[in-house]
Amino acid sequence: MWGYLFLVPAIAIFIVFLWVPIVKGMVYSFYNIDFVNGNIFVGMDNYIKILNNPDLLLSIRNTLYYMLLTLIIGFWVPIAASIAISELKLFQGFARIAAYLPYVVPGVVLYGMWRWMYDPVGPINAVLGWFGADPTSFISDSRYSMIALVFMETWQQFGSAMLIYLAGVLSIPRDWYEAAEIDGAGVWSRIKYITLPSMRSLIVLMLILQLIGTSQAYQSQLAMLDGGPNKATLTYALLTVKYAFTQLDYGAGTALGVLMFVVLSVLGIVQFKLTKEDY
């Protein structure tokens, strides 16, 4: 009984700040929200409106492209970094701190710094110029803008994921590695047959969490380019924000949010099924 009483505050906060907004969002998606004259029930009109918006398919395509890029460019980086740091004999603590430092850079500083680095006269183009490449405006060219954002976010975010992977690596019994070394296993063999199999569940969990997180991405797209150039970085979440807070169409914005909630719930169920034996 006392255990349940101690849980009451956490459960109350969970209900008030998570499930009540979710339920209200589902309800509001069927209304035309008007804070002055009152809400008007419109049925499925909000869903029809967003489904007929050509920007919806574009935003879904951009979001999937963004998610694919984060998997190709960024997903393996913290895994490789955690394994490399775990193999260090010296300066392991310094390497952990150095890898994590980009994560603490404030967003305003981060975006300003990378806009300068991506500038046609910035340091990245200066380095490419040494090899004879012409200056490129990475963030204003629709061919490179999304890739540029993914590189920026990989640089900032990989440190936090790396610490999680590193904790997983360090939790593997050292006796396994010592036995493998006695049997003549090299570094690559130990990684292939001990480290990666032992981290399988963690990698699957982090993969699902990354897919969920990147599907909700909008901050860098909004702050750096506001969905441009030519809507090349207009993601699904950014379209939701624009509906709700630019056009002040809260009904359509919540309808988009409900659709995303359904998709992410399915991803969460898939993650639970894939790692069910670990619970």
Side-chain angles (χ1 to χ4, degrees), residues 80-160:
S82 64
I83 294 174
I85 291 175
S86 69
E87 292 288 337
L88 290 177
K89 303 300 181 183
L90 298 174
F91 305 111
Q92 190 176 114
F94 172 78
R96 295 184 194 180
I97 296 173
Y100 186 75
L101 278 179
Y103 186 71
V104 303
V105 176
V108 175
V109 176
L110 176 75
Y111 300 139
M113 179 181 70
W114 279 89
R115 286 186 71 90
W116 167 68
M117 292 181 66
Y118 282 139
D119 193 88
V121 294
I124 294 179
N125 274 296
V127 173
L128 294 177
W130 297 343
F131 301 95
D134 295 327
T136 302
S137 182
F138 292 102
I139 58 174
S140 61
D141 191 326
S142 59
R143 295 174 298 174
Y144 308 115
S145 54
M146 191 70 84
I147 299 175
L149 293 181
V150 171
F151 270 106
M152 176 192 70
E153 293 183 343
T154 298
W155 177 84
Q156 186 199 29
Q157 300 288 340
F158 91 94
S160 60

Side-chain angles (χ1 to χ4, degrees), residues 75 164-165 199-213 267-268 270-272 274-275 278-279:
F75 182 70
I164 298 174
Y165 284 119
M199 295 174 61
R200 185 189 68 85
S201 297
L202 178 60
I203 292 173
V204 172
L205 173 62
M206 294 296 288
L207 173 63
I208 299 297
L209 292 177
Q210 176 166 317
L211 292 176
I212 292 174
L267 278 177
V270 169
Q271 181 268 324
F272 179 77
L274 291 175
T275 58
D278 298 322
Y279 291 101

Side-chain angles (χ1 to χ4, degrees), residues 10-173:
I11 294 173
I13 292 173
F14 190 79
I15 292 173
V16 171
F17 292 103
L18 182 64
W19 282 105
V20 169
I22 288 174
V23 173
K24 280 191 173 183
M26 292 179 177
V27 173
Y28 286 166
S29 67
F30 297 103
Y31 282 81
N32 178 27
I33 307 301
D34 190 331
F35 296 111
V36 178
N37 301 316
N39 303 334
I40 301 173
F41 181 78
V42 294
M44 299 295 294
D45 286 358
N46 288 322
Y47 289 95
I48 294 172
K49 180 193 299 183
I50 61 177
L51 291 175
N52 288 329
N53 186 347
D55 286 344
L56 177 63
L57 290 178
L58 175 64
S59 67
I60 293 174
R61 186 183 67 185
N62 288 340
T63 302
L64 293 175
Y65 179 51
Y66 174 78
M67 294 169 69
L68 177 63
L69 287 176
T70 57
L71 290 178
I72 295 175
I73 297 174
F75 182 70
W76 59 272
V77 174
I79 300 174
S82 64
I83 294 174
I85 291 175
S86 69
E87 292 288 337
L88 290 177
K89 303 300 181 183
L90 298 174
F91 305 111
Q92 190 176 114
F94 172 78
R96 295 184 194 180
I97 296 173
Y100 186 75
L101 278 179
Y103 186 71
V104 303
V105 176
V108 175
V109 176
L110 176 75
Y111 300 139
M113 179 181 70
W114 279 89
R115 286 186 71 90
W116 167 68
M117 292 181 66
Y118 282 139
D119 193 88
V121 294
I124 294 179
N125 274 296
V127 173
L128 294 177
W130 297 343
F131 301 95
D134 295 327
T136 302
S137 182
F138 292 102
I139 58 174
S140 61
D141 191 326
S142 59
R143 295 174 298 174
Y144 308 115
S145 54
M146 191 70 84
I147 299 175
L149 293 181
V150 171
F151 270 106
M152 176 192 70
E153 293 183 343
T154 298
W155 177 84
Q156 186 199 29
Q157 300 288 340
F158 91 94
S160 60
M162 181 273 298
L163 289 181
I164 298 174
Y165 284 119
L166 185 60
V169 173
L170 297 179
S171 68
I172 301 172

